[in-house]
Amino acid sequence: MTDRLDAAPGPRPSRTPLLGGPAPILTSAVLWGMTGTASSLAPAGAPAAAIGCAGLALGGILLFLTSRRARALPAACTRPERWLLVLGTVAVALYPVTFYPAVARTGVAVATVIALGSAPVFAGLLSWITGGARPTARWSAATAAAVLGCALLALGPELTGHATPMDPSGIALAAGAGLSYAVYSLIGGRLITHGHPSGAVMGVLFGAAGLLVLPLVLCVDTHWLATIRGTAVAGYLALFTVYLAYRLFGYGLRRTPASTATSLTLAEPAVAAVLGVTVLGERLPTASWCGLAVLALGLVLLAAPAGTAKGVSRS
């Protein structure tokens, strides 16, 4: 990841900047926000990590098989780009392996805040370090607002109730999930910026990652997959939160810096919270609703076109 982003031929400017980049990414975040509600419908006793890995395995392989030029992508890449594909594949595979155990150890709220809140920070720093892209004041302010809103939204119940002990290993796993997400987002954006088709890049990254996590799915209890509910949940996660969501995410990365894209996906906990209230009957305290408003403001600042302003500036 040592090539400069501005050294590669970029994509043509979009006539509709909002629809060309932020909208597909926000749609992906909406689909990802439904993950918690969908996984809660899995049969009792289904291992959390296995649910996520099953969705990645099925959806990733499907994404690879249906992506044009995915099979030819490794041959079309330079040697450094092939190493990026390997690193990106490992990062994709590590996300469900770290995030779902983090949820089991710290709870959904804390794991979501740490993973999604740290991802844009990791992405901005890594983009700066590896590509010479310096975060702008607008990106920094908008991301800070989105992270603050995300924290208030998810931790609102904890702030108004009794505090629970934090599990250090769970916190570390959640931070690892945020780092893995930032890494494969940056790698995907870099390869797409270099002129490779977004569908092929996402297909290779997630197809190979699906194969990597497949042994984990098969080595744990698979009886839940044989049930109607288990099959339905795994199928939904594969089709919507992996296949469709990452197709849209890859398309959005063609015209959106990865640092901005990871910040936009902070919409995911907002969607999860709204679904929790409307579908699962959960209640949100005032602090959480305030966080939702602050989060929305940060996302508007990130998504709204601003002339020549970008999520990062060239140094």
Side-chain angles (χ1 to χ4, degrees):
M1 298 177 64
T2 56
D3 296 337
R4 291 178 56 89
L5 285 172
D6 52 354
R12 297 178 181 177
S14 174
R15 295 181 181 179
T16 55
L18 181 62
L19 295 178
I25 291 171
L26 286 172
T27 303
S28 299
V30 170
L31 293 172
W32 292 327
M34 298 177 180
T35 302
T37 302
S39 60
S40 68
L41 302 176
I51 295 174
C53 289
L56 173 59
L58 295 172
I61 294 172
L62 178 63
L63 191 58
F64 174 78
L65 293 176
T66 59
S67 298
R68 295 180 57 188
R69 299 170 63 182
R71 295 176 181 81
L73 178 63
C77 289
T78 63
R79 185 174 181 179
E81 288 175 341
R82 292 192 194 101
W83 281 112
L84 286 180
L85 284 175
V86 172
L87 179 59
T89 295
V90 173
V92 171
L94 283 176
Y95 185 84
V97 174
T98 52
F99 180 72
Y100 288 94
V103 169
R105 287 173 169 80
T106 66
V108 175
V110 175
T112 301
V113 166
I114 295 174
L116 295 181
S118 64
V121 178
F122 282 132
L125 292 176
L126 288 173
S127 180
W128 187 4
I129 293 171
T130 62
R134 183 177 56 197
T136 64
R138 176 184 176 181
W139 177 87
S140 300
T143 299
V147 171
L148 173 61
C150 182
L152 288 173
L153 171 65
L155 295 179
E158 300 294 335
L159 295 174
T160 56
H162 298 286
T164 56
M166 292 289 184
D167 185 329
S169 63
I171 293 174
L173 285 168
L179 178 59
S180 69
Y181 172 53
V183 168
Y184 72 72
S185 296
L186 285 171
I187 289 176
R190 181 66 56 86
L191 293 171
I192 293 168
T193 303
H194 284 183
H196 298 293
S198 59
V201 171
M202 292 293 115
V204 170
L205 289 179
F206 282 82
L211 292 177
L212 278 181
V213 301
L214 188 58
L216 177 61
V217 178
L218 299 178
C219 288
V220 299
D221 182 12
T222 58
H223 289 90
W224 65 278
L225 271 173
T227 66
I228 295 177
R229 286 174 60 188
T231 301
V233 168
Y236 176 86
L237 294 176
L239 290 175
F240 290 95
T241 67
V242 176
Y243 175 75
L244 179 58
Y246 280 102
R247 270 199 180 280
L248 291 170
F249 187 68
Y251 179 79
L253 282 177
R254 292 169 55 187
R255 307 187 190 280
T256 306
S259 56
T260 300
T262 52
S263 298
L264 286 170
T265 53
L266 287 172
E268 178 182 345
V271 174
V274 171
L275 285 175
V277 172
T278 58
V279 178
L280 302 179
E282 298 177 352
R283 293 185 178 183
L284 292 179
T286 303
S288 292
W289 287 113
C290 291
L292 185 60
V294 175
L295 174 56
L297 175 62
L299 293 174
V300 168
L301 290 175
L302 286 165
T308 58
K310 300 289 184 182
V312 289
S313 62
R314 307 298 178 196
S315 60

Tab-separated table of all heavy atoms in Angstrom, residues 199-249:
chain	number	residue	atom	x	y	z
A	199	GLY	N	-16.651	-4.642	-9.129
A	199	GLY	CA	-17.264	-5.941	-8.905
A	199	GLY	C	-16.230	-7.051	-8.815
A	199	GLY	O	-16.337	-7.955	-7.977
A	200	ALA	N	-15.216	-6.984	-9.675
A	200	ALA	CA	-14.166	-8.001	-9.653
A	200	ALA	C	-13.355	-7.918	-8.369
A	200	ALA	O	-13.018	-8.948	-7.760
A	200	ALA	CB	-13.250	-7.828	-10.864
A	201	VAL	N	-13.029	-6.714	-7.923
A	201	VAL	CA	-12.251	-6.546	-6.702
A	201	VAL	C	-13.012	-7.095	-5.498
A	201	VAL	O	-12.480	-7.883	-4.696
A	201	VAL	CB	-11.908	-5.057	-6.481
A	201	VAL	CG1	-11.287	-4.847	-5.099
A	201	VAL	CG2	-10.961	-4.558	-7.563
A	202	MET	N	-14.277	-6.701	-5.359
A	202	MET	CA	-15.079	-7.194	-4.243
A	202	MET	C	-15.287	-8.707	-4.345
A	202	MET	O	-15.270	-9.420	-3.337
A	202	MET	CB	-16.439	-6.489	-4.206
A	202	MET	CG	-16.377	-5.020	-3.850
A	202	MET	SD	-15.843	-4.730	-2.136
A	202	MET	CE	-14.299	-3.883	-2.410
A	203	GLY	N	-15.472	-9.204	-5.568
A	203	GLY	CA	-15.678	-10.636	-5.771
A	203	GLY	C	-14.484	-11.459	-5.321
A	203	GLY	O	-14.636	-12.482	-4.651
A	204	VAL	N	-13.274	-11.014	-5.680
A	204	VAL	CA	-12.070	-11.748	-5.300
A	204	VAL	C	-11.839	-11.662	-3.790
A	204	VAL	O	-11.566	-12.684	-3.131
A	204	VAL	CB	-10.843	-11.205	-6.061
A	204	VAL	CG1	-9.551	-11.794	-5.496
A	204	VAL	CG2	-10.959	-11.537	-7.551
A	205	LEU	N	-11.952	-10.463	-3.224
A	205	LEU	CA	-11.706	-10.295	-1.792
A	205	LEU	C	-12.664	-11.138	-0.957
A	205	LEU	O	-12.248	-11.861	-0.037
A	205	LEU	CB	-11.838	-8.819	-1.398
A	205	LEU	CG	-10.739	-7.870	-1.885
A	205	LEU	CD1	-11.045	-6.447	-1.432
A	205	LEU	CD2	-9.374	-8.293	-1.369
A	206	PHE	N	-13.945	-11.081	-1.285
A	206	PHE	CA	-14.926	-11.766	-0.451
A	206	PHE	C	-15.073	-13.240	-0.819
A	206	PHE	O	-15.392	-14.053	0.048
A	206	PHE	CB	-16.270	-11.038	-0.532
A	206	PHE	CG	-16.300	-9.805	0.320
A	206	PHE	CD1	-15.749	-8.621	-0.139
A	206	PHE	CD2	-16.834	-9.833	1.590
A	206	PHE	CE1	-15.736	-7.487	0.646
A	206	PHE	CE2	-16.833	-8.714	2.390
A	206	PHE	CZ	-16.278	-7.537	1.919
A	207	GLY	N	-14.841	-13.578	-2.081
A	207	GLY	CA	-14.869	-14.991	-2.443
A	207	GLY	C	-13.745	-15.752	-1.771
A	207	GLY	O	-13.952	-16.837	-1.204
A	208	ALA	N	-12.529	-15.195	-1.814
A	208	ALA	CA	-11.395	-15.847	-1.167
A	208	ALA	C	-11.563	-15.877	0.352
A	208	ALA	O	-11.243	-16.876	1.009
A	208	ALA	CB	-10.100	-15.128	-1.545
A	209	ALA	N	-12.095	-14.787	0.923
A	209	ALA	CA	-12.330	-14.761	2.371
A	209	ALA	C	-13.395	-15.779	2.767
A	209	ALA	O	-13.299	-16.405	3.827
A	209	ALA	CB	-12.754	-13.363	2.810
A	210	GLY	N	-14.404	-15.950	1.921
A	210	GLY	CA	-15.426	-16.953	2.192
A	210	GLY	C	-14.840	-18.348	2.275
A	210	GLY	O	-15.231	-19.157	3.128
A	211	LEU	N	-13.886	-18.641	1.390
A	211	LEU	CA	-13.217	-19.945	1.441
A	211	LEU	C	-12.362	-20.083	2.699
A	211	LEU	O	-12.256	-21.173	3.270
A	211	LEU	CB	-12.352	-20.129	0.193
A	211	LEU	CG	-13.098	-20.285	-1.135
A	211	LEU	CD1	-12.112	-20.377	-2.294
A	211	LEU	CD2	-14.010	-21.508	-1.111
A	212	LEU	N	-11.763	-18.982	3.137
A	212	LEU	CA	-10.927	-19.027	4.339
A	212	LEU	C	-11.731	-19.357	5.591
A	212	LEU	O	-11.258	-20.093	6.469
A	212	LEU	CB	-10.213	-17.689	4.535
A	212	LEU	CG	-8.938	-17.427	3.736
A	212	LEU	CD1	-8.364	-16.056	4.094
A	212	LEU	CD2	-7.903	-18.513	3.992
A	213	VAL	N	-12.947	-18.800	5.699
A	213	VAL	CA	-13.729	-19.016	6.919
A	213	VAL	C	-14.622	-20.249	6.829
A	213	VAL	O	-15.212	-20.655	7.837
A	213	VAL	CB	-14.614	-17.778	7.238
A	213	VAL	CG1	-13.759	-16.544	7.415
A	213	VAL	CG2	-15.678	-17.551	6.168
A	214	LEU	N	-14.708	-20.863	5.655
A	214	LEU	CA	-15.572	-22.037	5.496
A	214	LEU	C	-15.214	-23.170	6.457
A	214	LEU	O	-16.122	-23.791	7.038
A	214	LEU	CB	-15.524	-22.517	4.045
A	214	LEU	CG	-16.510	-23.623	3.667
A	214	LEU	CD1	-17.952	-23.185	3.934
A	214	LEU	CD2	-16.339	-24.005	2.189
A	215	PRO	N	-13.935	-23.478	6.666
A	215	PRO	CA	-13.619	-24.542	7.637
A	215	PRO	C	-14.141	-24.241	9.036
A	215	PRO	O	-14.539	-25.164	9.759
A	215	PRO	CB	-12.082	-24.586	7.611
A	215	PRO	CG	-11.712	-24.063	6.271
A	215	PRO	CD	-12.732	-23.006	5.962
A	216	LEU	N	-14.157	-22.959	9.432
A	216	LEU	CA	-14.673	-22.613	10.749
A	216	LEU	C	-16.157	-22.931	10.853
A	216	LEU	O	-16.629	-23.439	11.877
A	216	LEU	CB	-14.438	-21.123	11.019
A	216	LEU	CG	-14.996	-20.587	12.339
A	216	LEU	CD1	-14.344	-21.297	13.519
A	216	LEU	CD2	-14.774	-19.076	12.438
A	217	VAL	N	-16.901	-22.665	9.779
A	217	VAL	CA	-18.329	-22.962	9.778
A	217	VAL	C	-18.560	-24.465	9.894
A	217	VAL	O	-19.449	-24.921	10.631
A	217	VAL	CB	-18.997	-22.424	8.490
A	217	VAL	CG1	-20.485	-22.769	8.454
A	217	VAL	CG2	-18.816	-20.908	8.393
A	218	LEU	N	-17.751	-25.245	9.188
A	218	LEU	CA	-17.947	-26.695	9.157
A	218	LEU	C	-17.436	-27.392	10.410
A	218	LEU	O	-17.868	-28.504	10.715
A	218	LEU	CB	-17.243	-27.278	7.923
A	218	LEU	CG	-17.740	-26.755	6.571
A	218	LEU	CD1	-16.926	-27.361	5.434
A	218	LEU	CD2	-19.224	-27.047	6.386
A	219	CYS	N	-16.509	-26.730	11.143
A	219	CYS	CA	-15.919	-27.373	12.318
A	219	CYS	C	-16.747	-27.187	13.584
A	219	CYS	O	-16.516	-27.878	14.572
A	219	CYS	CB	-14.506	-26.844	12.555
A	219	CYS	SG	-13.307	-27.431	11.335
A	220	VAL	N	-17.683	-26.256	13.591
A	220	VAL	CA	-18.538	-26.058	14.763
A	220	VAL	C	-19.879	-26.740	14.521
A	220	VAL	O	-20.109	-27.346	13.461
A	220	VAL	CB	-18.737	-24.551	15.053
A	220	VAL	CG1	-17.401	-23.885	15.340
A	220	VAL	CG2	-19.441	-23.858	13.899
A	221	ASP	N	-20.750	-26.613	15.492
A	221	ASP	CA	-22.071	-27.238	15.388
A	221	ASP	C	-22.834	-26.649	14.202
A	221	ASP	O	-23.066	-25.442	14.136
A	221	ASP	CB	-22.852	-26.992	16.679
A	221	ASP	CG	-24.218	-27.658	16.655
A	221	ASP	OD1	-24.461	-28.483	15.755
A	221	ASP	OD2	-25.040	-27.348	17.539
A	222	THR	N	-23.196	-27.498	13.246
A	222	THR	CA	-23.906	-27.039	12.042
A	222	THR	C	-25.373	-27.449	12.018
A	222	THR	O	-26.037	-27.282	10.995
A	222	THR	CB	-23.204	-27.591	10.780
A	222	THR	OG1	-23.177	-29.027	10.855
A	222	THR	CG2	-21.797	-27.054	10.648
A	223	HIS	N	-25.885	-27.966	13.131
A	223	HIS	CA	-27.280	-28.404	13.140
A	223	HIS	C	-28.241	-27.252	12.904
A	223	HIS	O	-29.315	-27.436	12.314
A	223	HIS	CB	-27.596	-29.096	14.476
A	223	HIS	CG	-26.942	-30.435	14.636
A	223	HIS	ND1	-25.690	-30.583	15.203
A	223	HIS	CD2	-27.344	-31.686	14.285
A	223	HIS	CE1	-25.355	-31.862	15.193
A	223	HIS	NE2	-26.335	-32.562	14.657
A	224	TRP	N	-27.860	-26.038	13.349
A	224	TRP	CA	-28.742	-24.888	13.168
A	224	TRP	C	-28.952	-24.564	11.689
A	224	TRP	O	-30.005	-24.057	11.302
A	224	TRP	CB	-28.174	-23.674	13.904
A	224	TRP	CG	-26.864	-23.182	13.337
A	224	TRP	CD1	-25.618	-23.661	13.588
A	224	TRP	CD2	-26.704	-22.107	12.405
A	224	TRP	NE1	-24.683	-22.969	12.878
A	224	TRP	CE2	-25.316	-22.001	12.150
A	224	TRP	CE3	-27.585	-21.227	11.777
A	224	TRP	CZ2	-24.793	-21.035	11.284
A	224	TRP	CZ3	-27.079	-20.264	10.916
A	224	TRP	CH2	-25.681	-20.181	10.672
A	225	LEU	N	-27.941	-24.879	10.852
A	225	LEU	CA	-28.064	-24.611	9.422
A	225	LEU	C	-29.069	-25.536	8.747
A	225	LEU	O	-29.590	-25.220	7.676
A	225	LEU	CB	-26.706	-24.764	8.735
A	225	LEU	CG	-25.819	-23.520	8.683
A	225	LEU	CD1	-24.456	-23.883	8.123
A	225	LEU	CD2	-26.462	-22.417	7.860
A	226	ALA	N	-29.346	-26.684	9.359
A	226	ALA	CA	-30.276	-27.653	8.775
A	226	ALA	C	-31.725	-27.305	9.049
A	226	ALA	O	-32.630	-27.948	8.507
A	226	ALA	CB	-29.965	-29.055	9.297
A	227	THR	N	-31.968	-26.283	9.877
A	227	THR	CA	-33.339	-25.876	10.172
A	227	THR	C	-33.798	-24.817	9.170
A	227	THR	O	-32.965	-24.156	8.521
A	227	THR	CB	-33.446	-25.307	11.592
A	227	THR	OG1	-32.687	-24.087	11.668
A	227	THR	CG2	-32.903	-26.302	12.612
A	228	ILE	N	-35.108	-24.665	9.052
A	228	ILE	CA	-35.646	-23.660	8.129
A	228	ILE	C	-35.200	-22.268	8.541
A	228	ILE	O	-34.778	-21.449	7.703
A	228	ILE	CB	-37.183	-23.749	8.074
A	228	ILE	CG1	-37.613	-25.096	7.478
A	228	ILE	CG2	-37.765	-22.589	7.270
A	228	ILE	CD1	-39.108	-25.298	7.455
A	229	ARG	N	-35.292	-21.967	9.838
A	229	ARG	CA	-34.891	-20.648	10.312
A	229	ARG	C	-33.407	-20.409	10.099
A	229	ARG	O	-32.982	-19.319	9.689
A	229	ARG	CB	-35.241	-20.502	11.793
A	229	ARG	CG	-36.730	-20.315	12.058
A	229	ARG	CD	-37.023	-20.313	13.545
A	229	ARG	NE	-36.316	-19.254	14.238
A	229	ARG	CZ	-36.278	-19.129	15.565
A	229	ARG	NH1	-36.886	-20.034	16.327
A	229	ARG	NH2	-35.642	-18.133	16.115
A	230	GLY	N	-32.595	-21.422	10.387
A	230	GLY	CA	-31.156	-21.279	10.204
A	230	GLY	C	-30.791	-21.030	8.749
A	230	GLY	O	-29.967	-20.158	8.443
A	231	THR	N	-31.403	-21.782	7.851
A	231	THR	CA	-31.141	-21.600	6.426
A	231	THR	C	-31.599	-20.228	5.957
A	231	THR	O	-30.916	-19.562	5.162
A	231	THR	CB	-31.860	-22.689	5.615
A	231	THR	OG1	-31.398	-23.978	6.040
A	231	THR	CG2	-31.605	-22.525	4.128
A	232	ALA	N	-32.761	-19.792	6.448
A	232	ALA	CA	-33.290	-18.486	6.051
A	232	ALA	C	-32.374	-17.361	6.523
A	232	ALA	O	-32.096	-16.416	5.774
A	232	ALA	CB	-34.698	-18.305	6.603
A	233	VAL	N	-31.896	-17.442	7.768
A	233	VAL	CA	-31.016	-16.399	8.297
A	233	VAL	C	-29.700	-16.367	7.530
A	233	VAL	O	-29.227	-15.299	7.121
A	233	VAL	CB	-30.773	-16.620	9.806
A	233	VAL	CG1	-29.636	-15.732	10.301
A	233	VAL	CG2	-32.040	-16.335	10.595
A	234	ALA	N	-29.083	-17.541	7.334
A	234	ALA	CA	-27.817	-17.592	6.600
A	234	ALA	C	-27.995	-17.100	5.166
A	234	ALA	O	-27.139	-16.379	4.641
A	234	ALA	CB	-27.273	-19.022	6.606
A	235	GLY	N	-29.111	-17.475	4.543
A	235	GLY	CA	-29.383	-17.025	3.179
A	235	GLY	C	-29.575	-15.525	3.108
A	235	GLY	O	-29.079	-14.862	2.180
A	236	TYR	N	-30.295	-14.964	4.077
A	236	TYR	CA	-30.504	-13.512	4.086
A	236	TYR	C	-29.182	-12.776	4.263
A	236	TYR	O	-28.892	-11.810	3.545
A	236	TYR	CB	-31.467	-13.126	5.212
A	236	TYR	CG	-31.646	-11.623	5.326
A	236	TYR	CD1	-32.582	-10.960	4.551
A	236	TYR	CD2	-30.839	-10.883	6.191
A	236	TYR	CE1	-32.720	-9.588	4.636
A	236	TYR	CE2	-30.966	-9.511	6.275
A	236	TYR	CZ	-31.916	-8.867	5.496
A	236	TYR	OH	-32.038	-7.499	5.572
A	237	LEU	N	-28.380	-13.223	5.226
A	237	LEU	CA	-27.095	-12.577	5.458
A	237	LEU	C	-26.211	-12.661	4.215
A	237	LEU	O	-25.520	-11.695	3.862
A	237	LEU	CB	-26.385	-13.228	6.650
A	237	LEU	CG	-27.048	-13.037	8.020
A	237	LEU	CD1	-26.288	-13.820	9.089
A	237	LEU	CD2	-27.113	-11.570	8.405
A	238	ALA	N	-26.227	-13.807	3.554
A	238	ALA	CA	-25.394	-13.992	2.366
A	238	ALA	C	-25.844	-13.096	1.221
A	238	ALA	O	-25.025	-12.422	0.578
A	238	ALA	CB	-25.425	-15.457	1.931
A	239	LEU	N	-27.154	-13.061	0.959
A	239	LEU	CA	-27.667	-12.327	-0.203
A	239	LEU	C	-27.672	-10.823	-0.006
A	239	LEU	O	-27.325	-10.067	-0.925
A	239	LEU	CB	-29.082	-12.813	-0.535
A	239	LEU	CG	-29.199	-14.226	-1.118
A	239	LEU	CD1	-30.656	-14.618	-1.279
A	239	LEU	CD2	-28.472	-14.317	-2.461
A	240	PHE	N	-28.066	-10.365	1.184
A	240	PHE	CA	-28.276	-8.935	1.380
A	240	PHE	C	-27.110	-8.234	2.074
A	240	PHE	O	-26.697	-7.151	1.638
A	240	PHE	CB	-29.576	-8.705	2.166
A	240	PHE	CG	-30.802	-9.037	1.383
A	240	PHE	CD1	-31.392	-10.287	1.496
A	240	PHE	CD2	-31.363	-8.121	0.511
A	240	PHE	CE1	-32.524	-10.617	0.758
A	240	PHE	CE2	-32.481	-8.435	-0.233
A	240	PHE	CZ	-33.074	-9.686	-0.111
A	241	THR	N	-26.583	-8.823	3.152
A	241	THR	CA	-25.536	-8.116	3.894
A	241	THR	C	-24.137	-8.364	3.344
A	241	THR	O	-23.198	-7.666	3.730
A	241	THR	CB	-25.576	-8.502	5.383
A	241	THR	OG1	-25.210	-9.873	5.542
A	241	THR	CG2	-26.967	-8.284	5.960
A	242	VAL	N	-23.988	-9.359	2.478
A	242	VAL	CA	-22.690	-9.594	1.842
A	242	VAL	C	-22.777	-9.325	0.345
A	242	VAL	O	-22.146	-8.392	-0.169
A	242	VAL	CB	-22.181	-11.032	2.099
A	242	VAL	CG1	-20.857	-11.272	1.341
A	242	VAL	CG2	-21.966	-11.263	3.588
A	243	TYR	N	-23.565	-10.120	-0.369
A	243	TYR	CA	-23.599	-10.030	-1.832
A	243	TYR	C	-24.037	-8.649	-2.312
A	243	TYR	O	-23.290	-7.946	-2.998
A	243	TYR	CB	-24.525	-11.110	-2.387
A	243	TYR	CG	-24.715	-11.030	-3.882
A	243	TYR	CD1	-23.703	-11.457	-4.748
A	243	TYR	CD2	-25.886	-10.525	-4.433
A	243	TYR	CE1	-23.864	-11.378	-6.122
A	243	TYR	CE2	-26.049	-10.438	-5.798
A	243	TYR	CZ	-25.043	-10.870	-6.641
A	243	TYR	OH	-25.198	-10.777	-8.001
A	244	LEU	N	-25.247	-8.224	-1.951
A	244	LEU	CA	-25.763	-6.942	-2.434
A	244	LEU	C	-25.044	-5.770	-1.788
A	244	LEU	O	-24.659	-4.803	-2.466
A	244	LEU	CB	-27.272	-6.860	-2.159
A	244	LEU	CG	-27.967	-5.565	-2.595
A	244	LEU	CD1	-27.770	-5.320	-4.087
A	244	LEU	CD2	-29.456	-5.618	-2.246
A	245	ALA	N	-24.843	-5.840	-0.473
A	245	ALA	CA	-24.241	-4.712	0.230
A	245	ALA	C	-22.836	-4.410	-0.286
A	245	ALA	O	-22.479	-3.242	-0.493
A	245	ALA	CB	-24.206	-5.000	1.727
A	246	TYR	N	-22.029	-5.445	-0.519
A	246	TYR	CA	-20.657	-5.176	-0.941
A	246	TYR	C	-20.548	-4.882	-2.427
A	246	TYR	O	-19.561	-4.281	-2.862
A	246	TYR	CB	-19.739	-6.322	-0.504
A	246	TYR	CG	-19.360	-6.189	0.945
A	246	TYR	CD1	-19.972	-6.958	1.925
A	246	TYR	CD2	-18.425	-5.243	1.348
A	246	TYR	CE1	-19.655	-6.814	3.269
A	246	TYR	CE2	-18.094	-5.093	2.687
A	246	TYR	CZ	-18.718	-5.870	3.632
A	246	TYR	OH	-18.402	-5.712	4.965
A	247	ARG	N	-21.518	-5.294	-3.208
A	247	ARG	CA	-21.571	-4.813	-4.592
A	247	ARG	C	-21.773	-3.297	-4.594
A	247	ARG	O	-21.099	-2.559	-5.313
A	247	ARG	CB	-22.695	-5.497	-5.359
A	247	ARG	CG	-22.272	-6.785	-6.049
A	247	ARG	CD	-23.258	-7.161	-7.147
A	247	ARG	NE	-22.855	-8.380	-7.811
A	247	ARG	CZ	-21.933	-8.462	-8.757
A	247	ARG	NH1	-21.273	-7.374	-9.110
A	247	ARG	NH2	-21.639	-9.615	-9.318
A	248	LEU	N	-22.733	-2.839	-3.796
A	248	LEU	CA	-22.998	-1.407	-3.692
A	248	LEU	C	-21.804	-0.675	-3.084
A	248	LEU	O	-21.440	0.425	-3.526
A	248	LEU	CB	-24.247	-1.174	-2.842
A	248	LEU	CG	-25.566	-1.625	-3.474
A	248	LEU	CD1	-26.693	-1.559	-2.444
A	248	LEU	CD2	-25.913	-0.754	-4.685
A	249	PHE	N	-21.201	-1.270	-2.062
A	249	PHE	CA	-20.061	-0.641	-1.409
A	249	PHE	C	-18.898	-0.477	-2.391
A	249	PHE	O	-18.249	0.578	-2.435
A	249	PHE	CB	-19.637	-1.486	-0.214
A	249	PHE	CG	-18.565	-0.857	0.636
A	249	PHE	CD1	-18.831	0.269	1.386
A	249	PHE	CD2	-17.290	-1.405	0.693
A	249	PHE	CE1	-17.848	0.852	2.180
A	249	PHE	CE2	-16.310	-0.832	1.481
A	249	PHE	CZ	-16.583	0.299	2.227
